Amino acid sequence: MKRLPANKAFLIFYGFDIALLLVIAVFLLPFSRSKNQPKTLKSAFIDSSLKNEVSEIRILDKKNKVRISLYKLSDMWVGTDSFSNDTLYWPAEDKCVANFIEEMTKENTWTQKASNVTSWKKLGVDSSSAVEVDLRNDSRTLGSVFFGYGDDLEGQVYFRTSEESTVWQAKTDAENFIYEKTPSFWADPYLIPLCARLDSDKNDSGLRRGELAYIKPAEHIKPFNAVSKDLNSGVKAVYNFYEKEDQIVVIPEFSGNEILSKLNYRYTISKWTYDKFIKELEEEEK
């Protein structure tokens, strides 16, 4: 039998070694990928079965010094906020609240980003930086989430729940309701709030208000005009108008409904909106 030259024998030997290493590498590759891949899961901020149990929502943004509280009274949502020290109550926009609850109960893909408390501040989920959202049913907490920094382009946001130290990231439209949102975002936007109307009267939304206002006219300052409107729902609305620089402040009063009668909010409108509203009321009286 002929012997292989030494150099050829070495080449064949190393060839077998390389082939064996390649086979082992291919075999172990899936395990390596699995080990390095971040943990993911499908979940919602609160279970969808609790959607109809939510009767209170609290949003606390310490960074921007804003606290918004929403309460479900009967079939109506009412809000108050830190700008008035929870003394002024306004009608919330039911559709806005319903959409927010829908997003909080929607299942999304969560990706684990960190597992310890030391990462909280860097990702914005610590108590001084995060936007804290609590959903409750009376005194029972249904879910509590701390939302941190977000990615505006991807719609991804860091967050943690009150039940664990793990920081997750997910793509969720819930962020559209919590970041830098003022009470005016949550309040019913119409001069005649939808909650004061019959369902048949809600198709024509009507004129919109401006921002909520937090002024209290001195007792000796009287409104320059006050008009009333009887709604088909049996509610009577009285609108008191005050001049303030280039805008008009409106303080509405409602009667004929126990919950509406407790509202004591105020808001601004433009001179154009005022003229349009008065004209509409005058035409109704003809």
Side-chain angles (χ1 to χ4, degrees):
M1 177 182 294
K2 288 185 177 181
R3 290 186 177 182
L4 290 173
N7 60 343
K8 287 187 177 181
F10 278 119
L11 287 175
I12 293 173
F13 176 76
Y14 284 121
F16 277 119
D17 282 353
I18 292 171
L20 181 61
L21 288 173
L22 288 174
V23 171
I24 295 173
V26 171
F27 177 76
L28 294 178
L29 184 61
F31 296 95
S32 176
R33 286 179 176 175
S34 177
K35 184 177 180 180
N36 295 326
Q37 191 173 3
K39 178 183 176 181
T40 62
L41 59 85
K42 281 276 190 180
S43 188
F45 300 118
I46 69 167
D47 194 275
S48 59
S49 64
L50 302 175
K51 180 189 302 184
N52 296 326
E53 293 188 34
V54 179
S55 61
E56 182 179 345
I57 300 171
R58 293 187 181 182
I59 302 173
L60 177 60
D61 185 348
K62 288 186 178 179
K63 187 175 181 180
N64 293 301
K65 299 179 180 179
V66 179
R67 183 186 67 253
I68 297 170
S69 301
L70 302 166
Y71 304 94
K72 190 174 185 180
L73 305 178
S74 185
D75 59 348
M76 185 187 311
W77 282 93
V78 172
T80 187
D81 56 81
S82 56
F83 295 128
S84 71
N85 291 320
D86 298 333
T87 61
L88 298 180
Y89 289 85
W90 32 266
E93 184 180 13
D94 286 349
K95 185 176 181 181
C96 184
V97 176
N99 288 342
F100 177 59
I101 295 175
E102 182 68 30
E103 292 301 328
M104 292 294 288
T105 56
K106 184 181 293 183
E107 197 173 76
N108 294 298
T109 300
W110 294 12
T111 302
Q112 183 177 331
K113 289 299 179 179
S115 58
N116 52 61
V117 177
T118 57
S119 64
W120 285 8
K121 192 169 185 63
K122 180 179 68 174
L123 300 178
V125 298
D126 58 303
S127 58
S128 61
S129 304
V131 177
E132 182 180 354
V133 177
D134 292 325
L135 284 79
R136 303 179 181 181
N137 179 275
D138 295 327
S139 60
R140 180 167 64 99
T141 299
L142 304 178
S144 184
V145 184
F146 293 79
F147 289 95
Y149 299 133
D151 185 334
D152 293 335
L153 294 178
E154 297 293 330
Q156 300 272 357
V157 61
Y158 295 109
F159 65 90
R160 66 177 174 89
T161 68
S162 61
E163 299 175 350
E164 58 180 359
S165 61
T166 304
V167 180
W168 301 88
Q169 187 181 42
K171 187 172 184 178
T172 170
D173 287 334
E175 66 166 353
N176 297 328
F177 296 84
I178 58 176
Y179 292 115
E180 299 180 359
K181 292 297 185 285
T182 66
S184 294
F185 170 83
W186 292 96
D188 186 294
Y190 303 108
L191 270 64
I192 303 175
L194 296 179
C195 58
R197 312 183 202 180
L198 293 174
D199 289 340
S200 58
D201 296 331
K202 293 181 180 180
N203 294 328
D204 180 18
S205 300
L207 296 170
R208 289 175 173 261
R209 57 163 176 79
E211 294 290 307
L212 294 181
Y214 297 91
I215 62 171
K216 182 180 180 180
E219 291 186 7
H220 68 278
I221 298 179
K222 303 301 179 184
F224 72 84
N225 192 12
V227 298
S228 62
K229 179 178 177 63
D230 292 316
L231 305 178
N232 294 332
S233 61
V235 173
K236 181 177 182 178
V238 176
Y239 295 87
N240 301 287
F241 300 98
Y242 297 83
E243 289 183 312
K244 186 180 185 298
E245 299 173 354
D246 60 341
Q247 292 184 317
I248 295 171
V249 175
V250 185
I251 301 181
E253 300 173 8
F254 302 95
S255 59
N257 179 285
E258 183 179 358
I259 298 173
L260 288 173
S261 64
K262 295 178 180 178
L263 302 179
N264 57 348
Y265 68 123
R266 56 278 325 256
Y267 51 82
T268 60
I269 60 173
S270 65
K271 181 67 166 55
W272 181 90
T273 302
Y274 169 77
D275 291 338
K276 180 77 171 174
F277 188 53
I278 296 299
K279 185 177 180 181
E280 288 181 358
L281 293 178
E282 290 174 347
E283 289 177 351
E284 289 178 3
E285 293 178 354
K286 292 180 180 179

